[in-house]
Structures are given as structure tokens and as C-alpha cells.
Amino acid sequence: MPVYRAPVRDHVFVINELIQFEKYAEALGYEDGDADTIAAVFEEAGRLADEVFFPINQSGDEEGCKLDNHVVTVPTGFAEAYKTYCEGGWAGLTADPNYGGQGMPQVLGVMVEEMFTAANHSLFLYMHLTHSAAHAMHGWASQELKDTYLEKLVSGEWTGTMNLTEPHAGTDLGMIRTKAEPNGDGTYSIEGTKIFITAGEHEMAENIVHLVLAKLPGAPEGTKGISLFVVPKFLPTEAGEPGERNQVFCQSIEHKMGIKGSATCVLNYDGAKGWLIGSENNGLRAMFTMMNSARLAVGLEGSGKAEIAYQNGVAYATDRIQGRAATGPVNSNKPADPIIVHADVRRMLMTQRAFSEGARALAGEIALNLDITFKSQDAEAKQVADDFVQLMTPVAKAFFTDEGFNAANATVQIFGGHGYIGEHGVEQYVRDCRISQLYEGTNGIQSMDLAGRKLSINGGRAVKTYLATADALLALHGEDAEMADFVKPMLPALESLKQATQWIMDNRAANPQNTGAAAVDYCRLFGIVALGLQWVKMARVCIDTLAAGTDEADFYQNKLVVARYYMARSLAEHSGLLERIETGADPIMALAAEAF
Amino acid sequence: MPVYRAPVRDHVFVINELIQFEKYAEALGYEDGDADTIAAVFEEAGRLADEVFFPINQSGDEEGCKLDNHVVTVPTGFAEAYKTYCEGGWAGLTADPNYGGQGMPQVLGVMVEEMFTAANHSLFLYMHLTHSAAHAMHGWASQELKDTYLEKLVSGEWTGTMNLTEPHAGTDLGMIRTKAEPNGDGTYSIEGTKIFITAGEHEMAENIVHLVLAKLPGAPEGTKGISLFVVPKFLPTEAGEPGERNQVFCQSIEHKMGIKGSATCVLNYDGAKGWLIGSENNGLRAMFTMMNSARLAVGLEGSGKAEIAYQNGVAYATDRIQGRAATGPVNSNKPADPIIVHADVRRMLMTQRAFSEGARALAGEIALNLDITFKSQDAEAKQVADDFVQLMTPVAKAFFTDEGFNAANATVQIFGGHGYIGEHGVEQYVRDCRISQLYEGTNGIQSMDLAGRKLSINGGRAVKTYLATADALLALHGEDAEMADFVKPMLPALESLKQATQWIMDNRAANPQNTGAAAVDYCRLFGIVALGLQWVKMARVCIDTLAAGTDEADFYQNKLVVARYYMARSLAEHSGLLERIETGADPIMALAAEAF
């Protein structure tokens, strides 16, 4: 049977010890940002993940969703779990208290998502987009719309969706065809078909709030002619309760490789009534507000999957006996040793752990910077934080999900043939994680966003600051002999990242394809170095804590062992990635399109 | 709709132009080894793959297998396809003419498997193990058993299975518990449970011939006490036809991640009658005869999957329009360009193609060496060939299936969200290919076989010869300016492989875990370099053919473009892999087992 236990202690380490959020809390206006409250919230979130989300993860995959006459049935237990989640106030954890939210910091809001999605990816998808929808409406909708919708979304009584994709338009949203005709009363009539709509239909909530991209009559071509509308499944009554059924129906649900408990819907809008959010033709901007937080959440699907994969890999490797240790029997009273004695099995487990802990630390730093972006009174600090979030969001989305997928596959490999069988529960992680590399912008698109847009805006200010900060970090600890194991291996890796960054900046003008040719390798290189820097910082905390004395010495010593593993092995790819980046677009583009 | 067209031209290139099998055919006693016959067989095999195997691949995945009262029902069309395959004589393509086989060379037998498995992995599994079973019986069974079984297996009237794994014993076969009690009449009574038995039960053939590992009473502990038995589903009558039902029944079939059209059975042996193959307690040796060819066949599942993934990636990338080329619109009369204009999409397609063509060439060379091993009269040539086969089999099994899996995933990535949906047919390749990394010995076990056993036997003779041959190849072409693009990048890569080999040899005594710690990275490094050497040889053929003049200039020029891509980008990993290998076991083993 699969296992999962939310890594509460490690979350507390990241937020309270590594980032020391307490130091920022007051200035950011968070009354409940003290270390004890943070630990208590992680504890509660962990319990919810362990006891409510995880037990229906495997059964949810087996059952899947069903569609009958426009009605979606979700797997057994999902509706009850959703109710428990809402009753606990989790739907509004970070939301504005003016609309019933708890006003907690992002360092909690973002980080608990790792637990929820690790425990049950499909179930959490019904919740996750509600946050994003509420966030977009909070930022862009009129007061009237906010008053109608936000409390319901924040409480989770109503859920939200994002409607971007159409059959012929995914990455290229400029081509969407869904139309919005003004009804003359301030409302619009929405006509069109949207696909891949996560949680597009279900009956766990009493209403569903669709945020829909569509084109007004005479709108400009391309992405500059897209507007955003809110289109509820049931039109709210004067009293704010679900009223008349709107003309939006689920036509079919997709049969997917994974996340089978999540209903992925084709929605037909047939003159459905909608309301404009923000100004005309400005819809993509509002949608992108939503997508930045959604992309980080998708990144956490990757790191969360690595965590659950690791835990199941450890459980199996400890239990399964097969063969003998290369150094001689460990279990001489049994016919074989547990497979954790084998170096190759350890290699897989250590890689998973070094990634998942490193990613958690980086996610924590991104979340902190989100808090600063949202709440700081200091304009310069806000700008630096926003630069960091903008730069690291594609890295977290793409690198975390690529590595999460690798981690999930490693656990199948540890299980051997048994990993391929559904009942052991681990092949599900591979299938579920595969979507995270695709949705919210494929990882190729994320990498292009990083290597193209993010290196260009403001003359590359964000990346320059990032690299200078990294230099400073290594210089600061470079003097300390105890830190040498961590600083020394990082120097050439950081050098590779700098050189790659410079190469892209220097070569994009000569051939615009150079950026795309380098993008995926560059994003991976960035991720590897970024996690390495987190391991440097974590090593510092561990060394200092051990020096000061602690009754959890094992915890900190083990982290140092994992840090050393990361430096010795996970970093090693950097030189090959740089070499590949510097070959440019020519070898890739040399074959004529018709010769494929 | 998914597409597949067997790459007949490329197979012909490998066997007739690159390897020039014709030169070897006569000395090896193959009358039908001329270039025209080889081309004709590939043509026919390709037709069978395209027209019979492939059309029922996706439907076979959707339908899966069913078990009812010990009877397995295979997907619609499988039985008819199996019949067509047998009627065409494919079951006995390379088999001994004394038993009805066609006696064709392995360069055909092995290479057509790539087409069959690419077109329909699940279907071909019903055939593939029959070869292996026949091969093992041919080598080890008594004349009486051969006379009873071989013609039936060679014609495909009966199918074969391999029964190794038990619930508690997979990699570690020394722990098997299945028992064989002598009945006193030369037969044995088999008792036990075997799992993961591919094609263990079905009704496509009139009988199933199980080759079963079991222990005789008082047999030595471990792998030295294992014997091999033939246990038919129906006991053959005097006339050699299926008679009384034997006591072996399918208890359940596995619900797997992929290869859903293949019945993976739990078989209960409840006093089933069996006959010993070979001598007592010598079963593993006979089984390994079977496994070497089976492992190469599994490798071809990987390279075949890369081929079909590539073809589907090209089809979608050429058809799907989304966004504009970085260098400006290509299709200005349409709202967007086909996605093949994007460098990142090209990168994925080129990687797939460079791998699949390189792997095909290496498979051809392994197959040639199998032919030499089986048929050469020259003892020294035979030994050199056997060394090569032994060395390269784990590389082909592990590296080809790892890269095949990556290639299948790349096509899902090219498709974006659509790739995740079953109806497009490409996520099936990911799920199907995943098994190839696990069965016939996991890729970790293959890597250990390479880095451990294969580098040790005969003082590392095989690898020393391999590296010296590689040196000679690069030296030979190093003088030629036209070959510089291919030879120059190979020099440091080959140097990395040499250094890694030396490191493993030098460090295995100091810490026996060093080999296991290095194994997977070493196997990958070996694969990358081995394919690079194939590209050097292919480049030579292309340059010479173009110089001599040809009306297929595009074919050869395109191959040179792909060769350059391989050198520029696929090779780049070598330095990082070497670096990782040289870190040894310490960082991997430093964490205490209980700290996981």
C-alpha cells in the first residue's frame, strides 16, 4: 500500500529557520507570522493531507470521473474531502479578510499546497484554480463583481475555473474564437467552445465561476484583442445565491493518462451570460496575474510528487529483500538484504531527496518574495522581490515538474516490475506528474519565457541581480572552512550559469532562434544552480544550529549529508548543459522542414 | 490519429550499406544474405508492421485483456494478426531449417523486431518470447524434447513463455521456491506460483510451452540449485498434438501502466507435469542463453518506440499551427506557423531521430556479431564477436530503453496538452515503453552487469578491445578533413569513456559499492559514445556514397546533418557523467539507512 506523511518538520525548517519569516512578518503586516503559528498551520495542513487527501488518492485514480447528461460525478470521497477542506478555512487561507479570508502569508499558502497536491493531485485541482480565480477577480474585477463572487470563492462554497484553451488555440491564445456580444445591459453573451477546463463541471460546490477569455466584436487581432469575462454556471440571484442555470454545459470529459480523478472538461458556451472583468481587450493581463501563482503551484506539483515518490521508494527499499550488499550481508539471518543496501538504489533515493528538499527551500524563497511583492511598503524592496518572482516562476514550474517526473519514475524503477502494476500505487505518480510538464504553459514555453522575455525586460535586471546575489552569497561563505564543501563545487556551476546567460544575451540578435535553441537547457541549468544555492544556505543554517547545540542533531547532520550529495552529483550536469547551449541554433535548424 | 511507417530504407542502409552484410554472408553459411534478399525481407516485414500490427495498437491498449475462469481474452484483431504473422513464416525467420525455420541471419531476425514492436508492442510480446523459448530449447533440450516442441514453436502453432519471477524473488532468483519433484518416470511434478508471465495464457495458439525455473529436492542453496523445465499447457500426445490439460492455470492478470494488450499472468503450478531441460541445477545457464537475445529485443523496444514517437512528433509538428517562427512568419497566409518552425520543437525531433538512427546502427552491429557467434568457423573471430555481444547487450537494453522512454515523452511534450489525452495515441508510447526499463532485468541491473561483470571477465578483455577499436576508427578517419566534424567531437567523449572505465577498474577493490554507484552513469556514457561511433561510421558511408554519386543525395545529406546534430548536442553529457562517476560511492552511501 502506498504511503504518505506530509513533511511538516521540513516545511517548518524552511519557513522558520532558513527564511526566518518572523523577521519579515510585522513589516509586511502579518499579525500571525510568528514561528509558532506557522508551525501550527503546517501541522494542521499536514494532518489534512495525510488523513483526508491521501486515503482517496489511489481509489480516485481507479474510479476516475464520469459524465452523464452534462453532469460530472467525481470519485468517491472527493465531495466529503472538499467539504472538510472548506470547513477548515483552507480555501481562504491567504485571502483578503474583507471577503472572509484568513489573510495568512504566502509562505504558508504556497507551501501547504505542496502537501495537498502531493497527497492527492486530482482532488487538489478542484481547489487550486479557485484560488487563482479569486486572485484574478480581486485584482481586476469591479467592486460589484467582487461583492457578488469573492466571499463565495474564498469560502469554497463556489469553485473557480480558468478558460483559455480552444481546440485550435493553446499556446497561441491570439487565435481564440470565443465571442462576447454585448447584451446592452452591461452583460455579454458568450459563444464558443473551451477545452481542457480543469474542474469545469462537478457537483461538489453549489456553483462554478468560469473566468473566460473571449473576443469582443471588432476587437484587434491577436493577443491585444482578448477580454476576460466571469461566467457563472448558475446566475447569482439578488440575494447572491445560485439562481437560473446559465448556458454553459460540459459536452465531454477527457480520457487522460493521469489525474483521472480530476474532471477535464470541454465546455460549450451557447449564449451564456457573462460580465467583463477589467477593461476591454485587456484580458490577457488579468489572466497572467492568475497564471503566475498558478505556475508556482504547478511547480509544487513536481516537488510534491518527488516527496511522495521518495517516501514510497524508501518504504519499498527498506522492506523488499533481494540480493546482498556489495560489502557483505547486512541481514545474515535472512535470505537477502533490503535493497536499500545497493548503491544504485541509494543513488535514486538521494537524488529524489536532494531535489525535493532543495525545491522546497526555493519555493519558500519565492513565496516570501510574493509576500513582499503584495505587502511591502518599500518600493525598492517590492521591485527586487517582483524581479525575483518573475525570474524564478518559470524555473520553478519547468524544472520542478521535470525533476518531479524523474523522481516519480525513479520510484517505479526502485519497485522494479512491481512498480508497473497499478495496485502498488506508484505508477500513478508518473502518470499524474506528466500533466504538470504540459499545462499552464508547457515546460518549453516556460523555458522560452525565462531565456527570452525574462532575460530581456529591463535590460536583464532580474538575472543580473540574481547572479550578483549568488556571487555575494558564495563570497560571504567562501572564507569559512566549514562551508568549503558547499561553496567550492558551486563556483564552477555558477560560472556556467553566468556564461550561459551571457551567451544568450550576446547571441539572440544574430539569430533569434538561438534563444529557443538554448531555452530548455538554460532553464534546467538555472534550476540546478538555484537549488545548489539553496543547499549552500541550508548548510549554513545546519552548521550554525549544530554549533549552537540542538537536541535534533540528526536532523541537521542528515541535511548536511544530503547537501554534500547534491554538490557531488546533482550539480555535475552544468558543464554539459553549457556546452549544449553554446552550440546555438544551427545544428538544430539545419535540417529542412520537409526532410523530417 | 497516430501514424507509423516502418523505416525500411533506413534498415536497408544499416544492413546493406553500413555493415555490408553481403560480405559476411557466404562465410557464415547464409545463402540468402545478399543485399536484394535482405531488402525484400525488410520490405515485407515493414508491410506487416504497417498494415497488420499498427492498426490494432491503439485499440488494443483501449480494450486490454480480460480474464474469466482461467481463460484470457486478448484484444480484438490480435488473434488474426498472430495468424497472419505465423502464415508468413515470421515466427521461424531465423530458426533452424531442420525444425521448419527459414534459417535467415540475425541481422534480419533482430532488426525486423524493431518494426514489429514499434508498431504494436503488446502484440509482439506474444511472439517475441516464443523465439527465446525455442532458442533455449534448441541449445539445451534433449533431442526428444526438441522433436516434440521445436517445430511447433518455430511455426508459431504453439507459443512459449519464460517463468522466472516469483512474488518474493525477481532480481534475486536464488530465492525461488517453485519445486520440481521427480515422478519416477523421467517427468517431474511442478508446484509453485510464478508472476509477471508475459503471454502466460491466451487462446491464440493451440498450446503454450512454459519454460519454468524450479528447484529439485535437496538442490543447493541459491542460484546453483536452479533447474529448468518445460511445462506445456496441454500435454503433447504421441502424435505430437495437444492432449490432456496440464495442471498450470492463470490465476490473475495484472492491471498495468501500459502494454495493456499483453496478458501478464500469475501462473499457478499445482502438480503440473514437466520435463527437465539440460542437466540438473544448471537451469540458470540455459535461461541466460534465452535472456541475451531477449535483452537485445527489449532494447529494440526502446529504439522502436523512439522511431514511432519521432514519426508522430513530426506529423503533429508539421500540422499544428501555433505562434510564429522567431525569424518571422513562414506561413503568412495563415494565422500561425506550424510548430516545427520553433527551435525547441526541432530540438526534440532531432534528438529522437539522432538516437533512433544511431541505435538502429548499433543494433545492426550487435546482430552481425550474433551471426558471427552462431555461425563463424573462425574461433578467434567468434570470441571477439561474443565479447562484443556480451559487452553491448546491457548497453542496448538499458540505454536504448531509457532513451526510448525519453523520446516517447518528448512527443507528448510536442503535442502539449493534447499529448496527455488518450485519443491522440502518443501517451500510450510512454506507458508502454516504461516496462522496457524494468523487465528482463531492470536497467539498474543491466548497468551493474556492464560495470561489474562485463568489465571483470577475462581481465576486461571485451572493453579493452572495444576501446582500442574505437581509437583505431577515429585515428583512421582523423586524417580526413571531411570527417573532422565527426571525429573531433568524439575524441574527448571517447576519452571520458576510457577514463570512466579505468576509474571503475581501479576503484572497485577499495570499495565494492563504487561499481554500483557508477553503474547507471557509466552505462549511459557507454551508450552515448557507442552511438557516436556509429554516427562516425555512418558519416563515412554517406560521404563516400555522395562522392561516388547517387540519385538519393538527400537521404545521405540529411544523415550527415543528423550526425552533426548528434556530435554537437547528444554527446555533450559525457563530461558530467564522468564527473559523477568519479565521485564514487561515498556521497551516495553516507546517509545511514535509518535516516531515509
Side-chain angles (χ1 to χ4, degrees):
Chain A
M1 293 294 294
V3 294
Y4 179 69
R5 206 176 160 76
V8 172
R9 178 66 188 89
D10 215 59
H11 279 279
V12 170
F13 170 80
V14 169
I15 304 305
N16 286 348
E17 301 171 58
L18 179 66
I19 287 176
Q20 303 183 38
F21 184 71
E22 214 166 30
K23 289 187 184 166
Y24 300 84
E26 211 189 305
L28 296 176
Y30 290 116
E31 285 172 21
D32 297 327
D34 61 289
D36 288 349
T37 304
I38 282 178
V41 174
F42 278 129
E43 195 69 51
E44 277 309 306
R47 191 166 304 143
L48 186 69
D50 296 353
E51 296 173 9
V52 176
F53 278 55
F54 179 63
I56 51 174
N57 181 51
Q58 193 179 11
S59 56
D61 179 64
E62 283 158 11
E63 274 185 55
C65 294
K66 283 160 201 78
L67 177 74
D68 185 24
N69 195 25
H70 306 310
V71 175
V72 168
T73 308
V74 300
T76 307
F78 273 36
E80 293 74 12
Y82 183 71
K83 202 163 157 246
T84 306
Y85 169 87
C86 293
E87 284 169 359
W90 296 101
L93 187 64
T94 59
D96 186 345
N98 292 323
Y99 298 98
Q102 303 207 37
M104 297 291 254
Q106 297 296 325
V107 289
L108 277 173
V110 168
M111 301 303 277
V112 298
E113 292 194 351
E114 185 213 301
M115 300 175 175
F116 296 150
T117 187
N120 196 327
H121 187 153
S122 286
L123 174 62
F124 188 60
L125 283 174
Y126 292 96
M127 299 144 183
H128 146 51
L129 288 171
T130 305
H131 294 192
S132 305
H135 189 59
M137 288 196 78
H138 194 275
W140 299 88
S142 67
Q143 192 57 46
E144 198 185 336
L145 289 176
K146 286 192 202 176
D147 289 343
T148 307
Y149 290 98
L150 274 181
E151 262 188 57
K152 295 290 192 181
L153 289 170
V154 164
S155 68
E157 285 167 272
W158 298 0
T159 61
T161 72
M162 290 167 70
N163 287 237
L164 290 79
T165 309
E166 299 181 8
H168 62 286
T171 298
D172 191 349
L173 289 170
M175 295 200 289
I176 64 164
R177 291 182 196 143
T178 298
K179 284 181 198 157
E181 291 276 349
N183 290 327
D185 60 354
T187 68
Y188 295 81
S189 175
I190 312 290
E191 196 91 33
T193 299
K194 293 288 181 177
I195 64 168
F196 297 165
I197 308 310
T198 299
E201 177 55 47
H202 61 82
E203 302 206 316
M204 295 195 291
E206 55 183 28
N207 202 0
I208 301 176
V209 181
H210 303 295
L211 298 200
V212 185
L213 293 182
K215 297 201 136 192
L216 290 166
E221 290 284 299
T223 53
K224 293 200 172 86
I226 298 175
S227 303
L228 181 64
F229 299 86
V230 53
V231 186
K233 178 179 169 186
F234 294 102
L235 300 173
T237 61
E238 290 280 315
E241 294 306 313
E244 193 189 330
R245 184 73 166 82
N246 205 353
Q247 293 306 303
V248 46
F249 289 99
C250 176
Q251 178 196 313
S252 58
I253 57 175
E254 306 290 355
H255 299 281
K256 308 182 302 291
M257 184 183 189
I259 52 164
K260 289 176 189 280
S262 167
T264 306
C265 302
V266 176
L267 292 185
N268 278 345
Y269 291 85
D270 189 14
K273 191 183 270 196
W275 287 261
L276 183 68
I277 295 181
S279 55
E280 293 186 357
N281 301 326
N282 206 11
L284 223 51
R285 215 173 137 203
M287 201 54 117
F288 272 112
T289 310
M290 205 161 158
M291 285 180 74
N292 250 339
S293 66
R295 284 175 172 177
L296 178 55
V298 173
L300 292 169
E301 291 168 7
S303 55
K305 212 69 97 249
E307 174 67 38
I308 193 169
Y310 168 76
Q311 292 189 22
N312 282 277
V314 169
Y316 191 79
T318 309
D319 180 62
R320 173 82 172 172
I321 63 167
Q322 208 78 186
R324 288 294 186 191
T327 42
V330 170
N331 254 2
S332 26
N333 56 338
K334 289 201 178 163
D337 292 333
I339 61 172
I340 201 167
V341 302
H342 303 306
D344 187 51
V345 172
R346 290 273 183 121
R347 176 188 63 81
M348 293 188 269
L349 294 173
M350 290 296 287
T351 304
Q352 292 170 322
R353 180 160 166 174
F355 162 67
S356 108
E357 294 185 10
R360 187 171 298 125
L362 177 55
E365 190 170 347
I366 299 174
L368 168 67
N369 282 283
L370 273 174
D371 278 319
I372 297 171
T373 309
F374 294 158
K375 296 292 199 91
S376 176
Q377 305 300 320
D378 174 341
E380 200 192 315
K382 234 171 142 125
Q383 188 215 73
V384 172
D386 188 54
D387 279 358
F388 182 81
V389 170
Q390 296 292 338
L391 185 71
M392 298 313 286
T393 298
V395 175
K397 197 283 183 181
F399 180 63
F400 288 10
T401 60
D402 284 349
E403 281 300 282
F405 183 71
N406 292 339
N409 270 301
T411 288
V412 170
Q413 205 64 24
I414 291 168
F415 273 66
H418 297 276
Y420 199 66
I421 309 296
E423 67 179 286
H424 293 286
V426 295
E427 55 88 39
Q428 183 193 345
Y429 307 143
V430 175
R431 291 184 289 102
D432 283 358
C433 199
R434 189 66 185 84
I435 191 60
S436 310
Q437 301 172 288
L438 298 165
Y439 61 13
E440 298 290 349
T442 66
N443 286 359
I445 293 294
Q446 301 299 325
S447 303
M448 277 298 294
D449 177 48
L450 175 70
R453 220 174 126 257
K454 299 291 166 67
L455 293 199
S456 306
I457 40 174
N458 301 312
R461 185 182 68 203
V463 74
K464 285 175 188 163
T465 304
Y466 183 84
L467 295 171
T469 309
D471 272 336
L473 178 80
L474 298 186
L476 174 69
H477 300 307
E479 306 290 304
D480 186 343
E482 278 188 294
M483 286 293 289
D485 282 2
F486 313 103
V487 172
K488 270 175 66 180
M490 277 304 299
L491 291 169
L494 180 59
E495 192 50 43
S496 287
L497 180 61
K498 284 188 204 167
Q499 208 173 312
T501 305
Q502 198 59 49
W503 189 92
I504 292 171
M505 288 179 162
D506 291 347
N507 289 277
R508 60 191 168 200
N511 179 356
Q513 292 280 21
N514 278 332
T515 306
V520 159
D521 291 314
Y522 180 69
C523 186
R524 183 167 183 81
L525 175 58
F526 214 120
I528 287 170
V529 172
L531 260 59
L533 293 169
Q534 293 297 333
W535 276 114
V536 170
K537 294 187 210 180
M538 289 194 277
R540 176 82 269 168
V541 172
C542 292
I543 289 169
D544 291 349
T545 308
L546 287 164
T550 164
D551 51 9
E552 288 183 300
D554 282 355
F555 177 83
Y556 298 97
Q557 272 153 3
N558 291 338
K559 233 180 231 306
L560 288 172
V561 173
V562 181
R564 279 193 190 89
Y565 177 87
Y566 192 90
M567 297 304 160
R569 297 185 57 99
S570 304
L571 273 187
E573 269 178 69
H574 72 88
S575 54
L577 290 167
L578 173 62
E579 189 182 323
R580 213 180 260 167
I581 289 163
E582 293 184 337
T583 59
D586 291 346
I588 293 179
M589 302 302 293
L591 199 65
E594 54 280 9
F596 278 86
Chain B
M1 292 293 295
V3 294
Y4 178 69
R5 206 177 160 77
V8 172
R9 178 66 188 91
D10 215 58
H11 279 279
V12 170
F13 170 80
V14 168
I15 304 305
N16 286 349
E17 301 170 59
L18 179 66
I19 287 176
Q20 303 183 37
F21 184 71
E22 214 167 30
K23 289 187 183 165
Y24 301 84
E26 211 189 303
L28 297 176
Y30 291 117
E31 286 172 22
D32 298 326
D34 60 288
D36 288 348
T37 304
I38 282 177
V41 174
F42 278 129
E43 195 69 51
E44 278 308 306
R47 192 166 303 143
L48 187 69
D50 296 352
E51 295 172 9
V52 176
F53 279 54
F54 179 65
I56 51 175
N57 182 51
Q58 193 179 12
S59 56
D61 178 63
E62 282 158 12
E63 274 185 56
C65 294
K66 283 160 203 77
L67 178 74
D68 185 25
N69 195 24
H70 306 310
V71 175
V72 167
T73 308
V74 299
T76 307
F78 273 36
E80 293 74 12
Y82 183 73
K83 202 164 159 245
T84 306
Y85 169 87
C86 294
E87 284 169 359
W90 296 101
L93 185 66
T94 60
D96 186 345
N98 291 324
Y99 299 98
Q102 303 208 36
M104 298 290 254
Q106 297 295 326
V107 291
L108 277 172
V110 167
M111 300 304 277
V112 298
E113 293 194 350
E114 185 213 301
M115 299 175 176
F116 296 150
T117 188
N120 196 326
H121 188 154
S122 286
L123 174 62
F124 188 60
L125 284 174
Y126 292 96
M127 300 144 181
H128 147 51
L129 289 171
T130 304
H131 294 192
S132 304
H135 189 61
M137 288 195 79
H138 194 272
W140 299 88
S142 67
Q143 192 58 48
E144 199 184 336
L145 290 177
K146 284 192 204 176
D147 290 343
T148 308
Y149 291 98
L150 274 181
E151 263 188 58
K152 295 290 192 182
L153 289 170
V154 164
S155 68
E157 286 166 272
W158 298 0
T159 60
T161 72
M162 289 168 70
N163 287 236
L164 290 79
T165 309
E166 299 181 7
H168 61 287
T171 298
D172 191 350
L173 289 170
M175 296 201 291
I176 65 164
R177 291 181 196 144
T178 298
K179 284 182 196 156
E181 291 275 349
N183 290 327
D185 60 355
T187 68
Y188 295 81
S189 175
I190 312 290
E191 195 92 33
T193 300
K194 293 287 182 178
I195 64 168
F196 297 164
I197 309 309
T198 299
E201 177 55 47
H202 61 82
E203 303 206 314
M204 294 193 293
E206 55 183 29
N207 203 359
I208 301 176
V209 181
H210 303 295
L211 298 200
V212 184
L213 293 182
K215 298 201 135 194
L216 291 165
E221 290 283 298
T223 53
K224 293 201 171 83
I226 298 175
S227 303
L228 182 64
F229 299 86
V230 55
V231 186
K233 175 178 170 186
F234 294 102
L235 300 172
T237 63
E238 289 280 316
E241 294 306 313
E244 194 188 330
R245 185 70 167 83
N246 205 353
Q247 293 306 303
V248 45
F249 289 98
C250 176
Q251 178 196 312
S252 59
I253 56 174
E254 306 290 356
H255 299 281
K256 309 183 301 292
M257 185 182 186
I259 53 164
K260 289 176 188 280
S262 167
T264 305
C265 301
V266 176
L267 291 185
N268 277 345
Y269 291 85
D270 189 14
K273 190 182 272 196
W275 286 261
L276 184 66
I277 295 181
S279 55
E280 293 185 358
N281 301 326
N282 207 9
L284 224 47
R285 217 175 135 201
M287 202 51 118
F288 273 111
T289 312
M290 205 161 158
M291 284 180 74
N292 250 339
S293 66
R295 284 174 174 179
L296 179 55
V298 173
L300 292 169
E301 292 169 4
S303 54
K305 212 69 97 248
E307 175 66 38
I308 193 170
Y310 168 75
Q311 292 189 22
N312 282 277
V314 169
Y316 190 77
T318 309
D319 181 60
R320 172 81 171 173
I321 63 168
Q322 208 79 184
R324 288 296 186 190
T327 42
V330 170
N331 254 2
S332 26
N333 57 337
K334 287 198 180 165
D337 292 334
I339 62 172
I340 202 167
V341 302
H342 303 305
D344 187 52
V345 171
R346 291 272 182 121
R347 175 187 64 80
M348 294 188 268
L349 294 172
M350 291 296 288
T351 304
Q352 291 171 322
R353 180 160 166 174
F355 163 67
S356 109
E357 294 186 10
R360 187 171 297 125
L362 177 55
E365 189 169 347
I366 300 174
L368 168 69
N369 281 283
L370 274 174
D371 277 319
I372 296 170
T373 310
F374 294 159
K375 296 292 198 89
S376 176
Q377 305 300 319
D378 175 341
E380 201 193 315
K382 234 171 142 124
Q383 189 215 71
V384 172
D386 188 55
D387 278 359
F388 182 82
V389 171
Q390 297 291 337
L391 186 70
M392 299 313 288
T393 297
V395 176
K397 198 282 184 183
F399 180 64
F400 288 10
T401 59
D402 284 348
E403 281 299 283
F405 182 70
N406 292 340
N409 270 300
T411 288
V412 170
Q413 205 64 26
I414 291 168
F415 274 65
H418 297 276
Y420 199 66
I421 309 296
E423 67 179 287
H424 293 287
V426 296
E427 55 88 39
Q428 184 193 346
Y429 306 142
V430 175
R431 289 184 291 102
D432 283 358
C433 198
R434 190 66 187 82
I435 191 60
S436 308
Q437 300 172 289
L438 298 165
Y439 62 12
E440 297 290 348
T442 65
N443 286 359
I445 293 294
Q446 301 299 325
S447 303
M448 277 298 293
D449 178 49
L450 175 71
R453 220 174 127 257
K454 300 290 166 68
L455 293 199
S456 306
I457 41 175
N458 302 310
R461 185 181 67 203
V463 73
K464 284 174 188 163
T465 304
Y466 183 84
L467 295 172
T469 309
D471 273 336
L473 177 78
L474 297 187
L476 174 68
H477 300 307
E479 306 291 303
D480 186 342
E482 278 188 295
M483 287 292 290
D485 283 0
F486 313 104
V487 172
K488 269 175 68 181
M490 278 303 299
L491 292 169
L494 181 59
E495 191 51 43
S496 287
L497 179 61
K498 285 188 202 167
Q499 207 174 312
T501 305
Q502 199 58 50
W503 189 92
I504 292 171
M505 289 178 161
D506 291 347
N507 289 279
R508 59 193 168 199
N511 178 357
Q513 292 280 21
N514 277 333
T515 306
V520 160
D521 291 313
Y522 180 69
C523 186
R524 182 165 184 80
L525 175 58
F526 214 121
I528 287 170
V529 172
L531 260 56
L533 293 168
Q534 293 297 334
W535 275 114
V536 170
K537 295 187 210 181
M538 289 195 275
R540 175 83 269 165
V541 172
C542 292
I543 289 169
D544 291 349
T545 308
L546 287 165
T550 165
D551 51 9
E552 289 182 299
D554 282 354
F555 176 83
Y556 298 97
Q557 272 153 1
N558 290 338
K559 233 180 229 310
L560 289 173
V561 172
V562 180
R564 280 194 190 90
Y565 176 86
Y566 191 90
M567 298 304 160
R569 297 186 56 100
S570 304
L571 273 187
E573 269 178 70
H574 72 88
S575 55
L577 290 167
L578 173 63
E579 189 183 323
R580 214 181 257 166
I581 289 163
E582 292 184 338
T583 60
D586 291 346
I588 293 178
M589 302 302 294
L591 199 64
E594 55 280 9
F596 278 86

